[in-house]
Amino acid sequence: MPTAVPEEPSVLSGQSPRAVKSARALTLPRGTGRTAARIGALTLCQAAFMVGIGLLITGPARDVWPMTVEDDLNEAMERHRTGALTSLSWFASEAGNTLTVIAVTLAACLGLVLIPRLPMWRQAAFLAVAVSLQALVFLVITESVDRQRPEVDRLDASPPTSSYTSGHTGAATALYAGLAALALSHVRGRLRKLVCALLLLLPLMVAIARLYRGMHHPTDLVGGLVNGSLSLLIVGRALFTEGTVAAAPSARPAPGVGPGASAPRVLAPGRTVVVVNPTVTDENTCAELRDVLRQHGHSTVEFVETTAKDPGGGQAARAVRDGASLVVVCGGDGTLRAAADAMAASDVPLALVPSGTGNLLARNLDLPLSPTAALDAALGGSVHHIDLGRIEGDGVEATHFAAMSGAGLDAAIMENTDDRTKSFLGWPAYVLAGITTLRSPRMRLTIQLDGAPALRRTARMVLLANVGTVQGGLTLVPAARCDDGQLDLLVLDPHGPGGWIRALGTLLRGGARTTRPTSVETLTVHDADSGVPVEYFTFRRAELTFESEQSRELDGDPVAPGRRLTAEVRPGALTMLLPPREK
């Protein structure tokens, strides 16, 4: 075997001989450490405050109103118990039970991550952290404040914790009031206020039930309400109001502001055309988008819908031809790809309103999650230029892709994803389809990058990437950027269960470096026994030739199977209106 030469210039890209991009380490969002420290410091203050109040209630203030009349209220509740009220109080009390709170919190967090088109990681973290911190402070309080439970017949077993504060009430406040806050900001329509009101009533019902069942003094319940509310306030302010955690999960610069890029320009209002995919955008959303445009001075607005025969390209091309100053694309990756193909090399900016299942470009540009927020942010931003990939093959006419294209496993997943399942579950439908396609046969192919000698490989999947992150926040191609004037190639070739485990570990680490030998000679011949499950290459032009017909996809849309794909980068081909970014 030839000896590896790590620093020898490469014929592929002028960097390393294997032409593999350096992978970014998996990093947390900027400001996470500072935010965690602030939350921790404020939680200590919260615990000190709650303990101080408890010591005051059990000490100097125990003979002061309202502490002097609390026993009378507990005894009155005991006298008015009935069978029906006792049963109702049990159900209400169980809503704040530890197991119930844990189960509902876990289900809600999983739902926030898996169900929306774009995972709501920050909202899930808000809920989980608030509930956890409330419980932590509660434990500190019960260890620091010794208060006996009311001298009445208690309907539940007395846990070995202090009566102050009510753990059920605090947990219910953090959980259900937290859900109400999320519903208020994300649920639309007439039911929003009703849902919020019902969620806010639950902690109060838990508090009344605990009082009725003789488990706490009234001030213990007030303490639980305050404890849960303070946890929500601290975490919510840190994650949403203060903005100490940057929205972008990486440190890459904004498109169009890298070295040698021209300064971004601000868009002046003019004629605006909104290309709408009616299968993922309802009339209420269109009305909201119109209001946002009007607020930003765009008064001349035309809405045009896509069709099955024309998924967005014709509408976007007509808009440019008829003199539109801005084209807003409201749809998923397929709608965006069609519009971007029509608008490539045009000076008319495109504003993306993510409304589909994958929304890969929107995810990698860190656009806001809701359609109205995305449009509002874009209209407050400036014009930038991003790269596109130009691709063609046997049975595939020359077109552009904005995010990713490929052949093999990923294309088979797209083919096997049921549209109804995708509409119901969102992007997790791809995961379900992937489980059934993991045993798809390995393919043999030849790869030629930028005119260099051909590379022979076997693979489960090859992916041509303009961006790196896919659904669920998983970074498949960590070095891919849509403004670097290059494309990236991922070759995935795991052998057996161990190979899949190694491949998954590499992807979860953000793309660890390949262990393949680095000399040019060994790159030209595929070593089937090397066991390398993941390889990355950088290129400007790639020619992929498969020994047999393979499933293929362009930006998530399946195309006719074939044996050839040719892709090249179109640097800065798409003009986009993007929101401002933190520097």
Side-chain angles (χ1 to χ4, degrees):
M1 175 179 284
T3 304
V5 186
E7 301 299 330
E8 183 179 340
S10 169
V11 296
L12 297 181
S13 63
Q15 297 176 359
S16 67
R18 59 188 170 183
V20 180
K21 270 194 173 182
S22 297
R24 296 194 310 260
L26 186 64
T27 57
L28 292 172
R30 296 188 303 276
T32 299
R34 184 169 66 251
T35 299
R38 180 170 300 184
I39 291 176
L42 291 175
T43 301
L44 288 176
C45 295
Q46 173 187 344
F49 172 75
M50 296 301 301
V51 169
I53 295 297
L55 294 176
L56 183 65
I57 290 174
T58 57
R62 63 178 177 272
D63 295 325
V64 179
W65 188 93
M67 274 63 74
T68 55
V69 298
E70 286 189 303
D71 290 340
D72 296 337
L73 185 56
N74 285 112
E75 292 169 0
M77 282 284 191
E78 182 184 26
R79 289 194 300 270
H80 290 85
R81 289 174 182 170
T82 65
L85 288 177
T86 298
S87 298
L88 288 174
S89 71
W90 182 86
F91 285 105
S93 178
E94 286 299 298
N97 187 29
T98 300
L99 293 179
T100 303
V101 169
I102 292 174
V104 174
T105 302
L106 181 60
C109 290
L110 289 175
L112 288 167
V113 172
L114 297 178
I115 294 177
R117 295 186 180 96
L118 291 178
M120 297 184 180
W121 294 105
R122 190 180 301 226
Q123 287 78 1
F126 160 71
L127 194 64
V129 174
V131 172
S132 300
L133 288 184
Q134 173 280 142
L136 181 62
V137 173
F138 165 74
L139 292 177
V140 172
I141 295 171
T142 57
E143 289 295 322
S144 305
V145 180
D146 184 17
R147 191 181 198 191
Q148 299 300 315
R149 296 186 181 273
E151 294 296 330
V152 296
D153 180 27
R154 294 188 286 275
L155 300 180
D156 296 324
S158 300
T161 54
S162 171
S163 179
Y164 175 88
T165 62
S166 170
H168 281 63
T169 306
T173 303
L175 173 58
Y176 301 115
L179 288 173
L182 295 179
L184 189 63
S185 58
H186 292 88
V187 175
R188 299 175 186 170
R190 299 176 180 177
L191 293 178
R192 185 174 79 165
K193 293 183 178 179
L194 177 60
V195 170
C196 293
L198 291 176
L199 287 170
L200 290 174
L201 276 177
L202 280 175
L204 297 177
M205 293 173 60
V206 171
I208 294 173
R210 300 302 286 171
L211 181 65
Y212 175 89
R213 299 179 73 80
M215 302 307 298
H216 295 282
H217 305 281
T219 48
D220 303 333
L221 304 171
V222 174
L225 292 169
V226 172
N227 186 33
S229 299
L230 286 176
S231 295
L232 285 176
L233 180 63
I234 290 171
V235 179
R237 183 174 178 83
L239 292 182
F240 298 116
T241 304
E242 296 173 351
T244 53
V245 178
S250 67
R252 63 181 183 270
V257 298
S262 59
R265 60 184 174 89
V266 178
L267 178 70
R271 179 172 177 268
T272 301
V273 175
V274 183
V275 179
V276 177
N277 183 340
T279 64
V280 294
T281 309
D282 56 27
E283 294 181 359
N284 290 335
T285 301
C286 290
E288 293 172 353
L289 295 176
R290 189 183 296 274
D291 290 340
V292 173
L293 287 164
R294 187 181 299 113
Q295 293 169 9
H296 285 268
H298 294 259
S299 56
T300 306
V301 179
E302 178 186 2
F303 281 73
V304 293
E305 292 187 350
T306 64
T307 64
K309 293 183 178 180
D310 191 346
Q315 296 85 343
R318 283 192 297 273
V320 172
R321 186 172 59 249
D322 295 343
S325 62
L326 173 66
V327 176
V328 179
V329 177
C330 188
D333 291 323
T335 308
L336 170 65
R337 188 193 65 78
D341 181 56
M343 297 177 65
S346 168
D347 288 333
V348 178
L350 180 153
L352 177 58
V353 176
S355 304
T357 304
N359 302 309
L360 293 190
L361 184 62
R363 190 187 308 275
N364 283 270
L365 291 173
D366 304 305
L367 298 181
L369 305 183
S370 73
T372 52
L375 181 58
D376 181 64
L379 293 175
S382 54
V383 176
H384 299 275
H385 297 274
I386 71 167
D387 306 335
L388 291 176
R390 185 181 184 276
I391 192 167
E392 61 181 321
D394 52 326
V396 177
E397 296 183 359
T399 185
H400 292 87
F401 67 92
M404 296 178 177
S405 295
L409 178 61
D410 67 317
I413 291 174
M414 303 304 171
E415 290 178 351
N416 294 331
T417 302
D418 181 72
D419 288 339
R420 288 176 297 180
T421 305
K422 188 166 63 173
S423 300
F424 179 73
L425 293 179
W427 67 261
Y430 294 128
V431 178
L432 297 179
I435 295 174
T436 63
T437 56
L438 286 179
R439 296 183 62 84
S440 58
R442 182 175 284 104
M443 56 186 172
R444 293 183 178 274
L445 73 154
T446 301
I447 305 170
Q448 189 170 32
L449 305 177
D450 296 331
L455 312 175
R456 302 185 186 279
R457 295 288 187 268
T458 60
R460 296 282 187 182
M461 177 180 80
V462 290
L463 199 62
L464 304 159
N466 191 35
V467 297
T469 300
V470 296
Q471 296 89 343
L474 176 65
T475 300
L476 284 183
V477 190
R481 281 176 43 192
C482 60
D483 64 340
D484 60 359
Q486 301 179 101
L487 296 176
D488 289 76
L489 173 64
L490 163 65
V491 180
L492 181 67
D493 189 27
H495 293 250
W500 280 107
I501 293 173
R502 291 175 59 196
L504 182 60
T506 298
L507 297 176
L508 291 178
R509 290 196 303 271
R513 299 170 117 191
T514 176
T515 57
R516 187 176 295 280
T518 56
S519 67
V520 176
E521 290 81 359
T522 56
L523 271 177
T524 61
V525 179
H526 176 51
D527 180 2
D529 297 325
S530 64
V532 177
V534 182
E535 283 187 290
Y536 295 102
F537 301 92
T538 301
F539 66 92
R540 292 178 177 84
R541 178 181 172 84
E543 298 179 18
L544 308 181
T545 304
F546 308 99
E547 285 193 0
S548 59
E549 286 194 346
Q550 300 296 327
S551 300
R552 299 177 296 182
E553 58 90 8
L554 306 180
D555 275 342
D557 289 335
V559 295
R563 297 181 57 187
R564 183 174 58 84
L565 283 176
T566 300
E568 60 182 342
V569 66
R570 294 286 304 278
L574 183 61
T575 304
M576 290 195 70
L577 189 62
L578 297 176
R581 289 192 162 195
E582 294 183 4
K583 296 182 179 180

